[in-house]
Amino acid sequence: VMKQSYMAFSLGFCKLSVEECEKDPKILKDYFAEHSECPEYVVQEAIEGFVRNWETRCFWFNGEFLYAIANKAAVSTDDGVERIVTGDDIPEEFLENAKRIGREALKCLPECKTPDGQAVPMTLIRTDIGCSDTQIYDKDTRWDPTKRTFFLNEIEYGGTTYFIRHLKFDSMPLWGRLYAEKAREIHAKMQERAGEPKAKRARTSASSSQATPTKKPAAHKA
């Protein structure tokens, strides 16, 4: 598969084979001409598991799980039709593995900080977990083709698709509350810092990377 490095909504996504591109170089020539404004491209081995298995997308806020959706994108399915399930319709194996890997992925992210450099718990993060069940030919990959291997496909942040219209509950009040609370939290920390004497501010700056505990958002069944 090939896609633009800075891509969303499957724009510029193209599934090809080395054989057909070698046979007809015009395929790639036309692709690069159409997307000539893109500074770089991503070329990856196609994971056939995307055709058969759910890609499970977990939504996190303040490092806590909120809900998940699972889908098979239109660019992956044989008939070109996207399929989406939420809540209890997500198979448990896929949901639990997605949450497990997602939690580990969160640990790799840089700290979220206020404009004055104080650490705060992360806002919205979405972790997308794929599932492979066939032979992978990448030279550094040793996945067992006889069983399912779950893997981190990508990490997205606040500008991601929320899949709100597919959920089994109204998530708008949830997101409104979380973002309002986060804005107040950041404002309060900055106001507190602004009111500190300079000597105290210097003493506390070394520990500014430690996030202040916040109220955990409640997880929802989508």
Side-chain angles (χ1 to χ4, degrees):
V1 298
M2 184 164 62
K3 53 190 175 182
Q4 302 170 79
S5 179
Y6 304 102
M7 183 198 70
F9 312 112
S10 298
L11 297 175
F13 182 93
C14 191
K15 189 174 181 180
L16 304 166
S17 73
V18 174
E19 181 181 8
E20 63 185 356
C21 289
E22 288 180 338
K23 185 177 181 179
D24 183 7
K26 190 174 182 296
I27 295 175
L28 292 180
K29 183 178 179 180
D30 290 346
Y31 180 89
F32 290 132
E34 181 181 357
H35 304 290
S36 59
E37 75 288 351
C38 182
E40 61 182 11
Y41 305 87
V42 177
V43 181
Q44 300 169 302
E45 179 180 349
I47 306 297
E48 295 301 327
F50 279 118
V51 176
R52 293 176 295 279
N53 300 310
W54 299 104
E55 182 176 9
T56 309
R57 309 172 190 269
C58 294
F59 292 77
W60 312 81
F61 202 97
N62 287 334
E64 298 297 322
F65 175 76
L66 293 181
Y67 63 83
I69 74 98
N71 76 315
K72 297 176 184 177
V75 295
S76 299
T77 57
D78 290 329
D79 57 8
V81 177
E82 182 177 33
R83 294 171 176 79
I84 298 177
V85 295
T86 64
D88 295 337
D89 294 329
I90 302 176
E92 183 177 3
E93 179 188 10
F94 286 81
L95 178 60
E96 292 307 314
N97 278 287
K99 290 164 67 175
R100 173 181 60 83
I101 297 174
R103 287 192 184 94
E104 293 301 311
L106 295 179
K107 298 175 184 178
C108 301
L109 298 177
E111 285 187 319
C112 182
K113 293 187 176 182
T114 62
D116 62 356
Q118 299 185 76
V120 291
M122 188 63 72
T123 57
L124 169 66
I125 293 294
R126 196 186 88 187
T127 54
D128 297 354
I129 310 303
C131 178
S132 174
D133 57 7
T134 55
Q135 179 69 45
I136 302 300
Y137 297 94
D138 179 87
K139 67 182 182 64
D140 297 317
T141 302
R142 301 292 183 270
W143 294 347
D144 185 347
T146 65
K147 65 179 183 180
R148 287 172 174 163
T149 297
F150 293 88
F151 62 93
L152 177 67
N153 188 38
E154 62 181 323
I155 300 176
E156 299 196 15
Y157 58 101
T160 187
T161 300
Y162 289 63
F163 292 93
I164 287 177
R165 67 183 180 277
H166 299 285
L167 302 178
K168 296 181 180 180
F169 71 98
D170 182 4
S171 67
M172 290 299 290
L174 169 67
W175 290 118
R177 176 178 61 80
L178 288 175
Y179 278 114
E181 289 176 352
K182 180 60 68 176
R184 295 189 186 102
E185 176 190 357
I186 292 172
H187 177 72
K189 289 180 75 71
M190 294 180 65
Q191 287 294 102
E192 182 181 359
R193 168 65 65 86
E196 291 179 355
K198 290 185 178 180
K200 181 180 179 183
R201 197 178 307 170
R203 291 195 303 270
T204 59
S205 61
S207 60
S208 64
S209 62
Q210 298 180 1
T212 301
T214 59
K215 182 179 179 181
K216 296 180 180 181
H220 288 259
K221 289 187 176 182

